[in-house]
Amino acid sequence: MLYILNNAGNVISFFLFLSPGPTILKIVKAKSVMEFNSDPYVATVLNCAVWIFYGMPFVHPDSLLVITINGFGLAIELFYVSIFFIYSDWNKRRKIIIALIIEAIFMAILIFVTLTFLHGSKDRSMLIGIVAIVFNVIMYTAPLTVMKTVITTKSVKYMPFYLSLSNFANGIVWSAYALLKFDPYILIPNGLGSLSGLVQLILFAAFYRTTNWNEDEKEVELSASKSDV
């Protein structure tokens, strides 16, 4: 059962990283980020980096799957962030730059402290595991800014459905895996992740009918025409 859940979790995580694809295509087509928010993608960059470090042999041995799935995630999330950077105005670009610099500095400090002051995989796994929990929670709660917009505007146009669905499914599978294995490092963030995904899906169902989907194509055309001027 653990083997099945582990492989299912990695497959779902793979699709979780790919789920923002339709949003990214819409941004590229419009040549504008419109009202889409980069926060979830910037947060996921740091989350993947922490988990890659956690999976290193000198931190937590025998964690090749952790490295591979999060290595793929880091690459794809950096691509998403670069798209947001290209098609954002200067204020949004500055916010992305500052966030990435802070994340890079944090990772450098974390690596230095772990390798310098902690000896043995047990102590290193505990520290990085706790840090990974914190940033997994940040990744899952990053869409809260989008949820606020949904409630205010009564529109789910800028809350990517497939990302919400993938977050929910990913959280459920890894929570089940953690319960069977009694692993709090996996259970806590993914339990919160499944709850966050559920709330997003409820909001999507609640405000789907009040969303003016017809404005979507007009806005894309308007953004594209502005970029050509």
Side-chain angles (χ1 to χ4, degrees):
M1 188 63 177
L2 282 173
Y3 176 80
I4 294 173
L5 287 173
N6 185 27
N7 283 279
N10 278 289
V11 171
I12 293 175
S13 294
F14 178 81
F15 284 105
L16 170 63
F17 291 131
L18 291 178
S19 61
T23 298
I24 299 302
L25 287 174
K26 188 178 294 184
I27 290 172
V28 173
K29 182 178 179 181
K31 298 181 181 179
S32 168
V33 297
M34 296 171 281
E35 297 300 319
F36 289 111
N37 197 314
S38 65
D39 290 351
Y41 310 100
V42 174
T44 306
V45 166
L46 181 56
N47 181 67
C48 289
V50 172
W51 279 110
I52 290 172
F53 186 50
Y54 177 83
M56 291 295 172
F58 47 81
V59 177
H60 195 80
D62 303 319
S63 300
L64 180 61
L65 286 176
V66 174
I67 296 175
T68 53
I69 190 63
N70 284 285
F72 171 77
L74 179 61
I76 198 71
E77 294 298 329
L78 285 173
F79 171 74
Y80 294 155
V81 171
S82 67
I83 294 297
F84 270 90
F85 185 83
I86 291 171
Y87 295 111
S88 293
D89 58 34
W90 171 242
N91 287 332
K92 291 180 179 178
R93 286 182 177 179
R94 181 171 57 187
K95 181 182 176 182
I96 292 172
I97 291 172
I98 293 173
L100 290 177
I101 290 175
I102 292 174
E103 291 181 356
I105 293 173
F106 175 83
M107 280 303 302
I109 294 173
L110 182 63
I111 293 171
F112 173 78
V113 170
T114 302
L115 298 183
T116 304
F117 299 105
L118 298 178
H119 305 286
S121 59
K122 184 177 180 181
D123 291 338
R124 290 174 175 176
S125 294
M126 180 178 293
L127 173 64
I128 306 304
I130 293 172
V131 173
I133 286 177
V134 172
F135 288 105
N136 243 34
V137 171
I138 291 174
M139 181 189 76
Y140 281 128
T141 56
L144 286 174
T145 54
V146 181
M147 293 185 213
K148 180 181 178 182
T149 302
V150 169
I151 295 171
T152 303
T153 62
K154 292 182 171 54
S155 171
V156 294
K157 185 165 56 175
Y158 296 109
M159 186 173 73
F161 172 75
Y162 292 109
L163 180 59
S164 301
L165 180 61
S166 298
N167 268 330
F168 176 68
N170 189 65
I172 288 293
V173 171
W174 283 111
S175 294
Y177 173 84
L179 283 171
L180 290 175
K181 198 177 180 181
F182 302 106
D183 190 333
Y185 296 128
I186 296 177
L187 177 60
I188 294 173
N190 286 288
L192 291 173
S194 59
L195 180 61
S196 172
L198 178 61
V199 171
Q200 293 173 55
L201 291 175
I202 291 173
L203 286 176
F204 195 91
F207 295 110
Y208 182 84
R209 290 187 177 182
T210 59
T211 301
N212 190 344
W213 298 102
N214 292 329
E215 290 183 355
D216 218 19
E217 293 184 3
K218 292 180 180 178
E219 190 164 355
V220 169
E221 292 174 1
L222 181 61
S223 298
S225 62
K226 285 182 178 180
S227 65
D228 292 335
V229 175

